[in-house]
Amino acid sequence: MILAINPGSTSTKVALYEGSELVAQESLDHSADELAHFHGIADQLPMRTQAVLDFLSRHGTSATDLEAIMARGGLLHPLASGIYAVNDRMLHDCIEGAVHEHAANLGAPIAHALAAGAGIPCYIADPVSVDEFEDVARISGLKELPRRSLVHALNIRRVAYDIAKAHGKALNEMNMIVAHLGGGISIAPLCQGRIVDVNNANEQGPFSPERAGGLPASALVRLCFEEGATEAEVVKRLTRTGGLVSYLGTNDAREVQRRVDMGDSEAALVLQGMAYQIAKEIGAMATVLEGDVDVIVLTGGLAHNDAIVGWVTARVGFIAPVEVVPGENELEALNDAYLRLRQGIETERTYA
């Protein structure tokens, strides 16, 4: 069996797989009172590790019964896409928050704590810090502010592999644009499997349920100074209370769709505006591939929304065929990554 681990801010999602079959899955919730006892995220490691051990025990197994452990990667230094064995350098960067402190940084340390005593391997796959940019993609317009690659790589690459397989090709035989449409939106052109550009969901591109996306720069600067906001307040406004939250007071696209269905014209305009921006970004990424696009893929939670899919498809269908793979399951994506490793489709990489 394979154990997949995905730590979030208030929960640790875990699943056991036997091959591609799901054996057990739980969301191990951590209450605000429980988390309040810890000074930093790294201090939560023993508590979360024990919670995973308890999960294994409830399902009549232990770490020694596992073949391997897959964990969601944290905010690491830029690295190529792929599957990485957990090593000392990775553990250091995760625990020290070398790039940024985030709950996902606990994935590798939890996996290592469980695997070390069991004598089994542990890995991460396709963390958000995947960076396969060509140099020209880093140019922004201000030398001090290069464009950065932060991307929903785990779901994007999983979907890309599945699409390539469905077309009877290897991933490196296709060019595609994958639009991950979730709480954050990543629209990435894949050139023969490499994520050569992305909008960076926290800073650019379409607005999303929670994020503001690209904004008029001068007006944003004036807004910050006029309101005397702190840096933390501005970042929160751009990444947590922007997008649908700013316009409609909710980050739930299903609720927005209910309002649209009830005749709310403002909700309809905002939802269509999000689809409009998604389509524009897909069009921009088509130029990165010089128009050589085999397929456009819409994935993530918003791909369940037929209206958004319809609006986007109507605007980008002339570029390439549009295929829809709704939803996102990080645990399943982690297991799929391990299966690719075991089958020799991918090879183990070293984080350095």
Side-chain angles (χ1 to χ4, degrees), residues 9 21 40 76 113 151 157 185 198 222 227 236 300 303 318 340:
S9 56
E21 296 297 318
L76 299 167
V151 56
R157 292 194 78 238
I185 291 176
V198 74
R222 287 197 299 272
E227 296 191 359
K236 180 180 179 181
F318 74 96
R340 294 195 301 269

Side-chain angles (χ1 to χ4, degrees), residues 38 57 62-63 124-125 149 165 176 189 196 199 201 212-213 219 231 234 243 248-249 255 267 269 274 277 279 289 350:
F38 301 103
S57 179
S62 66
I124 66 164
S149 178
K165 183 178 180 180
M176 64 180 78
V196 294
N199 55 287
E231 179 181 350
V234 173
L248 301 171
E255 166 62 23
L269 178 62
M274 185 167 66
Q277 291 192 7
L289 298 173
T350 300

Side-chain angles (χ1 to χ4, degrees), residues 58-77:
R58 282 195 298 276
H59 294 280
T61 189
S62 66
T64 55
D65 298 320
L66 303 174
E67 179 179 333
I69 301 175
M70 294 293 302
R72 187 175 183 187
L75 291 170
L76 299 167
H77 291 288

